[in-house]
Amino acid sequence: MSPGAFSSDVYNKAHYNIAYSHYMQEDYPEAIKWFRKYANLTEEEKSEYLADTYNRLGDCYFMRRSLWQAVEYYDKANELGLRDQDYALYQRAIALGLLQRPEKKIRSLKRLVENFPESDYLNNAYFELGKSYMNKENPSEARSYFKQIVEDYSSGEYVKKALVELGLIHYNEDNNDKALKYYKRVVAEYPNTREAKNALKGLKNIYLDRNNVDEYFSY
């Protein structure tokens, strides 16, 4: 608001920083207002700051459950091709899943996997692809993505989740020996986790199916 501020090199950037301050305080309506002001002022520049602004607008609308608007801004960030395209594709996919658009979610995740093989979101994308195919009752496709997590991300946070899903797939296919292997690995390697509790439920079902309750309690 100072005299001559409009012609300053940092005038536009001030809007961006005001927006980020509101964003970090989780004041999303105010953040949206200021990010949009910055975007309107700089949309011709096509800078990394503008790409980040589009992603943050996507985040703000996502947090407010305005999911189609979130998708719109994640698309804008991706189309600029300057920064965090993999993040934009991943968040876009999650929003589309919540909007009950499973095919579009899968396409978005596959674009991430194919175009950004070094992405930090690859692990997340594989898991979401696996879950998406499980929901589509396509366990064969789901299994390939869960196995990729186990084989390529042995220390990742999604390994235990993928192991539980692999156990469930094999249990549903009446391949109880393999299901037992996956469930027991979760219990052994990730004790006292939610996934270990889920694995124990799977183990209980298998032992009950085999009419072998004593072995379950012994285990």
Side-chain angles (χ1 to χ4, degrees):
M1 302 301 294
S2 302
F6 185 79
S7 60
S8 166
D9 291 341
V10 295
Y11 178 77
N12 292 345
K13 194 66 65 64
H15 294 75
Y16 175 84
N17 281 281
I18 292 170
Y20 238 109
S21 298
H22 289 297
Y23 177 78
M24 295 303 291
Q25 291 178 316
E26 300 181 5
D27 185 353
Y28 299 117
E30 280 296 302
I32 287 170
K33 181 177 78 175
W34 287 95
F35 276 130
R36 291 186 68 165
K37 284 184 178 182
Y38 176 77
N40 289 336
L41 288 168
T42 63
E43 60 186 356
E44 299 301 322
E45 297 178 12
K46 301 190 186 314
S47 67
E48 288 193 0
Y49 284 102
L50 181 60
D52 186 59
T53 292
Y54 287 150
N55 270 328
R56 298 294 77 78
L57 279 165
D59 293 343
C60 290
Y61 282 117
F62 186 96
M63 295 303 295
R64 288 174 59 78
R65 290 298 184 264
S66 299
L67 298 175
W68 282 119
Q69 285 177 291
V71 169
E72 176 187 347
Y73 279 103
Y74 290 134
D75 282 343
K76 284 177 177 286
N78 183 53
E79 287 164 9
L80 275 184
L82 295 175
R83 178 177 177 178
D84 296 336
Q85 289 174 271
D86 55 342
Y87 176 82
L89 285 169
Y90 180 73
Q91 287 296 113
R92 177 184 192 274
I94 299 302
L96 288 167
L98 293 171
L99 287 164
Q100 304 299 315
R101 298 295 191 277
E103 294 296 340
K104 289 186 176 182
K105 175 183 178 180
I106 288 171
R107 285 199 295 272
S108 189
L109 290 169
K110 284 188 173 181
R111 283 175 62 193
L112 192 166
V113 170
E114 291 165 6
N115 297 337
F116 302 96
E118 303 299 323
S119 171
D120 290 338
Y121 298 98
L122 214 58
N123 197 359
N124 312 54
Y126 285 142
F127 186 76
E128 289 296 330
L129 280 165
K131 291 293 289 183
S132 295
Y133 280 112
M134 286 288 282
N135 292 336
K136 286 170 62 67
E137 298 183 359
N138 188 341
S140 178
E141 281 289 327
R143 176 167 37 226
S144 68
Y145 288 109
F146 291 136
K147 287 185 73 172
Q148 196 151 4
I149 293 172
V150 174
E151 292 167 3
D152 296 346
Y153 299 90
S154 58
S155 60
E157 63 175 301
Y158 283 99
V159 173
K160 57 183 180 290
K161 299 177 186 291
L163 289 169
V164 172
E165 296 296 336
L166 286 166
L168 177 61
I169 289 171
H170 286 294
Y171 176 71
N172 290 338
E173 293 175 346
D174 293 324
N175 192 341
N176 287 341
D177 288 336
K178 279 195 172 183
L180 280 171
K181 182 184 74 172
Y182 285 118
Y183 285 143
K184 286 185 176 181
R185 180 175 168 183
V186 176
V187 175
E189 296 182 14
Y190 306 96
N192 303 316
T193 63
R194 180 182 299 176
E195 289 75 19
K197 292 178 181 179
N198 291 336
L200 281 171
K201 291 177 184 177
L203 286 165
K204 181 179 180 181
N205 290 333
I206 293 171
Y207 283 117
L208 286 175
D209 290 347
R210 291 178 169 181
N211 197 24
N212 199 341
V213 178
D214 289 341
E215 188 175 343
Y216 171 72
F217 282 115
S218 175
Y219 172 79

